[in-house]
Amino acid sequence: MTRPSTSAALRVKLGLAAPVLHAATAALWRHEPARLRPRYVEYLYVMHALVRASVPLMERAARRCAELTPRDPVAGPLGRYLEKHAEDERGHDAWLLEDLAAAGADPDAALGRLPSPVVADLAGAQYYWIEHQHPVALLGYIRVLEGNAPAPWLADWLAARTGLPPAAFRTVREHAALDAGHVADLDDLLDTLPLTAAQQVAVAVSALRTTDGITRLFSYLAAAPGGLS
């Protein structure tokens, strides 16, 4: 019997947690129009807090890969992927600030407020694993975030329901288009890296932990009238 590829095995594990995450995502947008508009603005603030950590995480993981090369056969190709992907993702936090401004909110507030502990937990776990385990764990985090991109119809649906201008939905619209290709590239990488059994476990644990964190983040955001700050 042929063993499943690394990416296929990871998809199976994530599939077990997917229904709860999908339910939390649906609940996030299940509001009457009067409540949906402030909910979307709060979503932008929360996602900015999360997204602004993405490039620094990848840059730190790439530096750790450089420290591990050449004795680690995973570090070289992983570091090259992370450097390229960091450039692909650079500036996406600025998109969220522009979305906030277009929605009539204060983008400066995104930089001044204390991020949710849930966001800090999500990013902080990755820093720990990068520093004290192996930077390959970050692939699980990336796989979940990009594997749960907004639906292609969501930006137009939210615009119609909230009355906000199309310019307020750039991040939702762009990620709906971009992330499918990013997931395919990541799956190819997972299937070509010479991962040890322990490294495969690290990727899977990181991915499942990230799924749980995103589920909690969306659940709290959907339930909290005043947001998460």
Side-chain angles (χ1 to χ4, degrees):
M1 181 177 179
T2 303
R3 295 182 60 184
S5 65
T6 300
S7 65
L10 182 59
R11 280 196 299 274
V12 170
K13 294 181 177 73
L14 291 175
L16 298 174
V20 178
L21 175 55
H22 293 165
T25 304
L28 177 61
W29 306 125
R30 196 179 298 125
H31 294 283
E32 61 274 15
R35 290 186 60 200
L36 190 58
R37 184 168 180 152
R39 175 64 60 231
Y40 176 67
V41 170
E42 183 63 19
Y43 166 83
L44 292 176
Y45 279 122
V46 170
M47 292 309 295
H48 176 267
L50 185 63
V51 169
R52 70 177 175 179
S54 295
V55 169
L57 274 170
M58 286 183 271
E59 290 176 335
R60 180 58 195 138
R63 290 195 297 271
R64 283 285 292 128
C65 286
E67 294 167 4
L68 294 171
T69 304
R71 67 183 184 276
D72 185 333
V74 171
L78 175 61
R80 290 189 292 273
Y81 166 84
L82 291 168
E83 290 171 356
K84 179 182 182 302
H85 197 51
E87 290 308 311
D88 292 341
E89 296 295 316
R90 196 174 303 280
H92 291 196
D93 54 333
W95 292 358
L96 286 152
L97 297 179
E98 293 166 3
D99 289 348
L100 282 163
D106 180 9
D108 290 339
L111 302 172
R113 61 192 249 170
L114 182 69
S116 161
V118 184
V119 171
D121 182 44
L122 275 162
Q126 299 305 313
Y127 278 111
Y128 185 91
W129 284 322
I130 289 167
E131 296 293 339
H132 301 294
Q133 181 64 27
H134 194 286
V136 77
L138 186 61
L139 296 183
Y141 180 82
I142 296 171
R143 179 62 176 79
V144 170
L145 293 183
E146 297 197 337
N148 292 278
W153 51 263
L154 183 61
D156 291 338
W157 185 87
L158 286 172
R161 295 273 289 174
T162 63
L164 292 170
F169 300 94
R170 178 185 181 183
T171 304
V172 171
R173 187 173 289 107
E174 294 279 0
H175 278 274
L178 292 172
D179 285 354
H182 290 168
V183 168
D185 291 343
L186 179 51
D187 284 350
D188 287 343
L189 177 69
L190 286 169
D191 291 338
T192 56
L193 286 175
L195 298 177
T196 66
Q199 289 167 342
Q200 292 182 45
V201 169
V203 172
V205 169
S206 173
L208 292 169
R209 184 67 188 83
T210 303
T211 301
D212 176 70
I214 295 296
T215 300
R216 289 189 293 126
L217 187 66
F218 285 178
S219 297
Y220 295 169
L221 181 57
L228 291 172
S229 60

